[in-house]
Amino acid sequence: MDSFLAFLQMGGRGLFIWSSYGITVVVMAGVLLASIRAARVREAELQVLRAGRPSRAPQSSSGQENLPS
């Protein structure tokens, strides 16, 4: 048990080290949650755009695509 406490104290710098780890975990979790939310919003926007767009017109019978010059 004493060696575990010494590990947590890390030579008197434990508070700084463990708080740094804690802040990093909180920030990374926030970034993950923000990314998931943004992805859901973008998926919903994409579904709305796809639903509002008419289906694509069939290609010409020659099989060549209309490419810009």
Side-chain angles (χ1 to χ4, degrees), residues 1-39:
M1 184 70 171
D2 191 37
S3 63
F4 182 69
L5 290 175
F7 170 73
L8 290 178
Q9 291 174 355
M10 295 191 175
R13 294 176 181 85
L15 180 63
F16 171 76
I17 293 169
W18 291 114
S19 63
S20 298
Y21 277 123
I23 290 169
T24 300
V25 167
V26 168
V27 169
M28 295 300 287
V31 169
L32 177 65
L33 291 174
S35 297
I36 290 171
R37 283 186 186 164

Side-chain angles (χ1 to χ4, degrees), residues 53-61 66:
R53 185 178 68 178
S55 62
R56 297 182 75 172
Q59 294 287 332
S60 64
S61 59
N66 295 329

